[in-house]
Amino acid sequence: MPTDGPALLKRYETLKGEASTHWKHCEEMTEFVAPSRSGILSKRSPGQRQNRTVFDSTTTMAAEMMAHFITSYTVNPSQQWGAMRGRTDDDAMAEWFEEARDLMLADFANSMFYAEVPEMNVDWCGFGTGCLITDEAPFAVHRTQQAWRGSHYETIMTGRFVGADGPDGLTDTLMYEKSMTADQISRRWPQATLPEKVARCLNEGKPDERFTIVHAILPRSLADQRYAAGAKKMPYASCWI
């Protein structure tokens, strides 16, 4: 399953079908909670008006204030809100935990973390769900980057992601979609063999032609891990389709 693209897409469509009933209610709320989220069940045209029936900003302001209040209370960038702790009182270990905390908070500060968390909280407060993705920052074609490139955070809007629970009732599978241009795809995976349609757009001078990308994150069975190597030996699979 982890490397079977058609099977993953079929499962993604099934999960989207199950969630569509909930998304219908979210769609009705977007104008009053977060107009930028309009188009949950359909694709919005760029520049399309988002709040045709709203004449008062009370609800949107309340949703934004609540999202920012929760963000400032939990992950305030002016405070050392993160901490690590071990099961020992060893001074050397305590110093290591403090150093790791400082590196973690510095990584957050040097990324889009503090900008994306409020966006995720808008969805969480307004629709009861939210999705914040973290990954290593993509390669930059205009400068040399070595070793760790830093973290990249991105909020996926409601209606573009689905999840599934494991046997313990906890979510262990996430699938989401995003729109990327042919140029973005080629720069995101510079060493990959690009799909024929993407490569054709690049060759024909159409780098801004858009494609839908689905990212599936799901557990990999022990049988799949046993005889694999490298990233395919990890307990979770990350598949881009």
Side-chain angles (χ1 to χ4, degrees):
M1 171 68 79
T3 57
D4 189 341
L8 287 174
L9 288 178
K10 183 177 180 180
R11 186 183 183 189
Y12 176 63
E13 293 299 331
T14 299
L15 292 173
K16 282 179 61 177
E18 295 175 355
S20 61
T21 302
H22 304 283
W23 290 346
K24 180 180 179 181
H25 300 300
C26 294
E27 182 76 74
E28 295 172 350
M29 296 167 57
T30 53
E31 288 188 281
F32 308 98
V33 175
S36 62
R37 305 305 195 271
S38 62
I40 289 178
L41 290 177
S42 60
K43 296 296 178 67
R44 230 182 352 104
S45 300
Q48 180 179 336
R49 187 173 177 180
Q50 300 171 351
N51 51 351
R52 296 180 180 277
T53 60
V54 177
F55 301 95
D56 185 270
S57 61
T58 301
T59 54
T60 54
M61 183 181 296
E64 185 175 350
M65 288 182 62
M66 183 175 182
H68 283 278
F69 170 77
I70 293 175
T71 302
S72 64
Y73 188 78
T74 55
V75 292
N76 194 321
S78 65
Q79 301 175 355
Q80 291 184 339
W81 56 268
M84 299 184 183
R85 183 178 302 171
R87 297 182 179 180
T88 176
D89 295 329
D90 182 71
D91 290 340
M93 185 65 71
E95 291 180 3
W96 186 88
F97 281 132
E98 291 180 3
E99 182 180 358
R101 176 204 61 198
D102 294 341
L103 290 172
M104 177 185 70
L105 294 178
D107 186 66
F108 289 150
N110 292 325
S111 66
M112 293 293 292
F113 178 81
Y114 290 111
E116 291 295 320
V117 170
E119 290 296 311
M120 186 271 293
N121 282 332
V122 167
D123 282 15
W124 179 53
C125 296
F127 310 125
T129 183
C131 180
L132 180 67
I133 293 296
T134 177
D135 196 359
E136 185 175 3
F139 289 99
V141 296
H142 61 287
R143 64 177 182 267
T144 302
Q145 296 174 295
Q146 298 178 350
W148 173 251
R149 299 187 299 274
S151 298
H152 173 74
Y153 295 89
E154 181 181 5
T155 295
I156 307 300
M157 65 173 282
T158 300
R160 301 292 181 265
F161 70 91
V162 292
D165 297 339
D168 56 1
L170 301 177
T171 301
D172 65 357
T173 298
L174 173 68
M175 298 183 181
Y176 67 91
E177 67 179 69
K178 60 187 301 184
S179 176
M180 298 180 68
T181 65
D183 179 63
Q184 291 172 333
I185 293 173
S186 64
R187 291 165 58 183
R188 176 64 175 80
W189 295 280
Q191 299 178 349
T193 301
L194 298 177
E196 182 180 348
K197 290 189 292 185
V198 177
R200 185 168 61 248
C201 286
L202 293 173
N203 293 332
E204 294 177 354
K206 301 177 182 178
D208 297 313
E209 190 78 18
R210 289 197 166 272
F211 298 88
T212 298
I213 305 295
V214 175
H215 187 196
I217 305 168
L218 67 164
R220 181 183 278 116
S221 68
L222 290 176
D224 290 337
Q225 299 177 46
R226 185 168 300 159
Y227 302 107
K232 294 184 178 180
K233 202 171 184 65
M234 301 296 287
Y236 276 82
S238 172
C239 303
W240 297 83
I241 308 167

